[in-house]
């Protein structure tokens, strides 16, 4: 399909019938006068008074515990840049669709006309009575770091910037399986990052949580390696500056075991790939144009494991494998936050699922293709409904074990069965 065909199909998809991709439906009947008196006045006063007496009753009488806000100010939308809150609305609606389709989480998308950290924090924190969780989206760095940090401190519901942590969690899952396949020890790896924005910094942090040390990592931004000799680094880059004397990414790539790109298309050369260590792991995740295309890598290496951000190549690092299921688990135990234990649990659950045989459901969703764990299948496919029943329980258990939950799950097997009923398998 060429770009013009895609453009027409996409515009028709968004504009035909009811404009946009969302609607609100009632979960209770409102067909009679008595229904109306229960849904609104005078009956609605009774749950209001119960909640006033005991605020936790809000979870019994309202939809708060299954409602997430997807919030942006439109300053860093996909690969489109700072297109503003209004133009970002189709993306936020799309995110909302994925929450509902894959994990039965209800969502309001909220686009805010505000660019300051202080303004964003004030507006978003004031929304806590409405929502069970906050998914921040498409907010530019470095403001996104401070906005999320302050909101986590202020709010008693999960706040999760998906551009950071969603990318990091899926990358970590692919990383776990890739190094297992190549048989390398985590303590011996040399890892080069291209990109030093929100997603890249989050990827660095989760690898540290997995056991990598800062000394093993070389971070590169648009000016080259992030070294301690540079005087133009913000606080987030300074934390990961290397003491090595390097001036170019080409130098950094020599003998690297892992390359993780969350940056710009076409900035990695075949010579750089040739200079990497044996059995290199190359995650070129810039989208739609990767840092280097898989076919270019294969021209110079036959021993590389490759992932991209694209759906037309194996090993797509796709955030939809993360955020719906992470929030599902967090909401179901009323977690106060999404902490590192929950993120690691999600990554490990994804990595483990990829090692299992795929189901007929997955084959049907992907045109009869067969997938098996290996260099071309590091992480599960989004339409594998077992992602929900694997990741959400792992996240929920991690929340309970780490002390951030406000609700327990007494029977995990029963919980998994309940999760399976939340979405309709493709076969049906």
């Amino acid at each position: 399909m060429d770009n013009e065909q895609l453009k027409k199909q996409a515009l028709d998809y968004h504009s035909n019938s009811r404009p946009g991709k969302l609607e609100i439906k009632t979960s209770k009947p409102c067909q009679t006068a008595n229904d109306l008196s229960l849904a609104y006045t005078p009956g609605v006063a009774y749950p209001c008074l119960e909640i006033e007496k005991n605020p936790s009753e809000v979870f019994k009488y309202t939809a708060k515990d299954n409602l997430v806000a997807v919030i942006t100010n439109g300053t860093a939308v996909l690969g489109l840049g700072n297109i503003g809150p209004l133009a970002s609305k189709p993306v936020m609606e799309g995110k909302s669709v994925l929450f509902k389709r894959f994990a039965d989480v209800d969502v309001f998308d909220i686009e805010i006309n505000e660019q300051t950290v202080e303004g964003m924090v004030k507006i978003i924190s004031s929304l806590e009575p409405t929502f069970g969780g906050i998914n921040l989206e498409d907010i530019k760095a470095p403001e996104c770091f401070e906005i999320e940090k302050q909101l986590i401190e202020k709010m008693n519901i999960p706040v999760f910037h998906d551009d950071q942590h969603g990318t990091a969690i899926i990358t970590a899952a692919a990383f776990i399986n890739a190094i297992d396949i190549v048989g390398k020890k985590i303590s011996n790896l040399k890892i080069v990052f291209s990109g030093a924005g929100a997603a890249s910094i989050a990827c660095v942090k989760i690898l540290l949580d997995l056991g990598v040390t800062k000394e093993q990592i070389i971070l590169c931004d648009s000016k080259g390696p992030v070294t301690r000799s540079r005087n133009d680094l913000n606080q987030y880059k300074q934390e990961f500056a290397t003491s090595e004397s390097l001036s170019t990414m080409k130098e950094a790539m020599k003998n690297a075991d892992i390359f993780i790109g969350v940056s710009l298309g076409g900035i990695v050369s075949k010579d750089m790939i040739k200079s990497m260590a044996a059995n290199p792991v190359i995650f070129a995740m810039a989208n739609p144009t990767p840092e280097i295309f898989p076919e270019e890598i294969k021209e110079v290496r036959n021993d590389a494991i490759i992932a991209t951000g694209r759906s037309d190549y194996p090993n797509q690092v796709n955030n939809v494998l993360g955020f719906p299921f992470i929030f599902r688990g967090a909401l179901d135990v009323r977690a106060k936050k999404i902490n590192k234990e929950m993120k690691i649990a999600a990554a490990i659950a994804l990595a483990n699922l990829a090692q299992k045989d795929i189901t007929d459901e997955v084959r049907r969703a992907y045109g009869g293709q067969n997938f098996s764990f290996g260099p071309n299948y590091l992480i599960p496919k989004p339409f594998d409904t077992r992602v929900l029943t694997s990741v959400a329980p792992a996240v929920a258990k991690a929340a309970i074990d780490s002390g951030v939950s406000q609700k327990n799950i007494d029977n995990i097997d029963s919980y998994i069965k309940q999760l399976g009923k939340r979405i309709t398998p493709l076969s049906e």
Side-chain angles (χ1 to χ4, degrees):
M1 184 187 302
D2 63 31
N3 285 340
E4 282 304 310
Q5 288 176 308
L6 178 61
K7 177 181 177 181
K8 184 179 187 309
Q9 282 195 17
L11 293 178
D12 288 345
Y13 175 88
H14 285 80
S15 62
N16 285 347
S17 184
R18 183 192 296 263
K21 301 188 287 285
L22 301 174
E23 64 177 332
I24 294 174
K25 291 186 176 182
T26 60
S27 61
K28 301 293 190 298
C30 191
Q31 303 295 325
T32 67
N34 187 58
D35 291 342
L36 183 59
S37 71
L38 296 175
Y40 199 50
T41 184
V44 75
Y46 295 103
C48 291
L49 293 171
E50 291 299 306
I51 295 167
E52 183 187 28
K53 285 189 294 185
N54 180 2
S56 68
E57 292 288 88
V58 71
F59 296 105
K60 180 178 180 179
Y61 294 113
T62 77
K64 178 180 169 73
D65 73 343
N66 197 51
L67 187 60
V68 166
V70 172
I71 300 179
T72 190
N73 60 3
T75 51
V77 182
L78 298 177
L80 305 174
N82 187 356
I83 61 174
L86 193 62
S88 74
K89 188 168 177 62
V91 179
M92 301 308 112
E93 285 190 357
K95 196 86 174 193
S96 306
V97 169
L98 300 182
F99 265 108
K100 187 66 176 178
R101 166 62 183 82
F102 290 103
D104 191 29
V105 174
D106 296 320
V107 171
F108 292 159
D109 65 290
I110 299 177
E111 296 76 30
I112 299 174
N113 189 16
E114 173 61 62
Q115 301 220 356
T116 68
V117 170
E118 296 76 15
M120 289 288 285
V121 169
K122 182 177 181 180
I123 293 167
I124 296 168
S125 62
S126 73
L127 299 174
E128 184 168 346
T130 302
F131 296 101
I134 304 290
N135 185 101
L136 302 175
E137 193 75 21
D138 293 351
I139 301 168
K140 71 182 179 72
E143 289 86 345
C144 61
F145 300 117
E146 190 60 30
I147 290 169
E148 185 192 46
K149 177 176 177 288
Q150 290 190 31
L151 288 173
I152 289 172
E153 292 170 354
K154 284 176 174 285
M155 303 181 80
N156 287 309
I157 58 175
V159 178
F160 184 83
H161 183 210
D162 188 49
D163 299 312
Q164 291 182 59
H165 310 298
T167 302
I169 289 164
I170 315 310
T171 299
F175 172 86
I176 290 167
N177 280 339
I179 62 171
D180 179 48
I181 290 169
V182 299
K184 295 186 179 182
K185 292 183 178 180
I186 199 167
S187 59
N188 295 334
L189 298 173
K190 176 183 177 181
I191 305 170
V192 175
F193 279 84
S194 176
S200 187
I201 295 291
C203 288
V204 170
K205 288 182 176 180
I206 201 167
L207 293 194
L208 295 179
D209 291 334
L210 288 173
V212 174
T213 66
K214 290 182 182 180
E215 290 70 29
Q216 293 173 257
I217 292 171
I218 299 172
L219 189 67
C220 300
D221 62 13
S222 60
K223 296 180 181 178
V226 174
T227 64
R228 293 177 187 172
S229 61
R230 286 176 52 178
N231 57 12
D232 61 343
L233 304 177
N234 62 37
Q235 61 178 310
Y236 307 103
K237 295 179 185 181
Q238 285 175 358
E239 183 180 356
F240 304 108
T242 180
S243 60
E244 292 190 40
S245 179
L246 299 166
S247 57
T248 66
M249 189 166 72
K250 183 177 180 179
E251 292 174 354
M253 290 280 280
K254 289 178 182 177
N255 297 313
D257 298 285
I258 314 281
F259 170 80
I260 297 176
V262 196
S263 54
L264 297 172
I267 64 170
V268 173
S269 69
K270 286 186 278 190
D271 284 342
M272 293 182 194
I273 298 299
K274 280 197 285 188
S275 75
M276 294 181 72
N279 303 307
V281 174
I282 302 163
F283 293 173
M285 299 185 295
N287 210 3
T289 304
E291 285 81 2
I292 183 169
F293 278 97
E295 50 265 36
E296 295 177 288
I297 296 170
K298 291 174 182 178
E299 287 177 15
V300 295
R301 301 296 298 245
N302 59 12
D303 60 344
I305 291 181
I306 307 166
T308 72
R310 291 172 57 126
S311 60
D312 52 347
Y313 291 104
N315 299 324
Q316 183 192 19
V317 177
N318 189 335
N319 284 20
V320 76
L321 283 168
F323 64 85
F325 317 106
I326 293 162
F327 269 97
R328 180 74 277 153
L331 292 171
D332 289 342
V333 295
R334 295 179 194 160
K336 295 179 181 179
K337 61 178 67 176
I338 296 172
N339 59 21
K340 71 177 182 179
E341 290 86 354
M342 295 159 76
K343 297 169 194 172
I344 294 290
I348 292 172
L350 285 169
N352 289 341
L353 179 56
Q355 297 181 28
K356 296 180 180 179
D357 292 337
I358 67 164
T359 61
D360 289 338
E361 173 191 42
V362 177
R363 290 188 189 91
R364 282 192 298 272
Y366 292 90
Q369 292 183 71
N370 197 35
F371 306 102
S372 60
F373 178 64
N376 290 321
Y377 188 67
L378 299 174
I379 44 180
K381 296 295 184 182
F383 286 102
D384 189 337
T385 53
R386 296 174 302 172
V387 178
L388 173 60
T389 55
S390 299
V391 176
V395 169
K397 184 177 185 303
I400 294 168
D401 291 347
S402 62
V404 297
S405 67
Q406 300 176 88
K407 178 182 175 183
N408 198 19
I409 294 176
D410 297 321
N411 188 319
I412 196 71
D413 292 331
S414 176
Y415 173 56
I416 290 171
K417 288 179 182 177
Q418 292 170 13
L419 287 172
K421 295 175 183 178
R422 279 189 170 272
I423 57 174
T424 303
L426 293 176
S427 58
E428 300 179 16

